[in-house]
Amino acid sequence: MTERDLLSSERSSRLSGTLADPSASAQPQPLREAVETAMRRYFEHLDGSQTSDLYAMVMAEVEAPLLACVMEHTDGNQTRAADVLGLNRGTLRKKLKLYGLIDSDAP
């Protein structure tokens, strides 16, 4: 199992009973606590193995779904999405292209 697999499986298992699953009877877990829990479990699963570029990996795991959700929330309006995120529209477009959330040939 790769580092990315560990974080992805952690993310999937954490959806139940969180804000992502509002129908669940469990109390939603604050994002900060969910990240801490995921990271502790990730390090436990490493079982002594070394890791590198963890910061970039975690940021990519969080940033892509964040951007996708905000774009959905704003009905694809990049100007509104950039405003919601507090980003420059050009920066948002660059990130959307990076994660394949818009066509890289789009103007």
Side-chain angles (χ1 to χ4, degrees):
M1 184 175 271
T2 68
E3 294 172 14
R4 204 171 291 278
D5 293 336
L6 285 171
L7 283 175
S8 294
S9 67
E10 177 63 30
R11 179 183 59 200
S12 298
S13 69
R14 298 301 312 157
L15 291 179
S16 179
T18 67
L19 292 174
D21 183 11
S23 65
S25 60
Q27 286 290 89
Q29 184 180 28
L31 181 59
R32 180 183 195 96
E33 289 178 17
V35 170
E36 183 176 353
T37 300
M39 293 312 306
R40 290 184 188 282
R41 190 166 297 153
Y42 172 78
F43 286 121
E44 287 173 12
H45 283 98
L46 279 179
D47 197 30
S49 298
Q50 294 298 312
T51 186
S52 62
D53 296 327
L54 183 61
Y55 181 82
M57 183 178 63
V58 170
M59 291 300 105
E61 287 291 315
V62 172
E63 192 170 47
L66 169 66
L67 296 174
C69 287
V70 171
M71 289 300 293
E72 182 180 326
H73 175 73
T74 61
D75 296 321
N77 185 312
Q78 294 177 18
T79 301
R80 283 183 44 221
D83 195 41
V84 166
L85 291 163
L87 295 175
N88 172 293
R89 186 172 174 274
T91 300
L92 173 62
R93 288 185 54 74
K94 180 179 174 183
K95 290 177 179 291
L96 292 172
K97 288 178 184 180
L98 174 69
Y99 295 114
L101 297 172
I102 61 171
D103 185 8
S104 61
D105 295 332

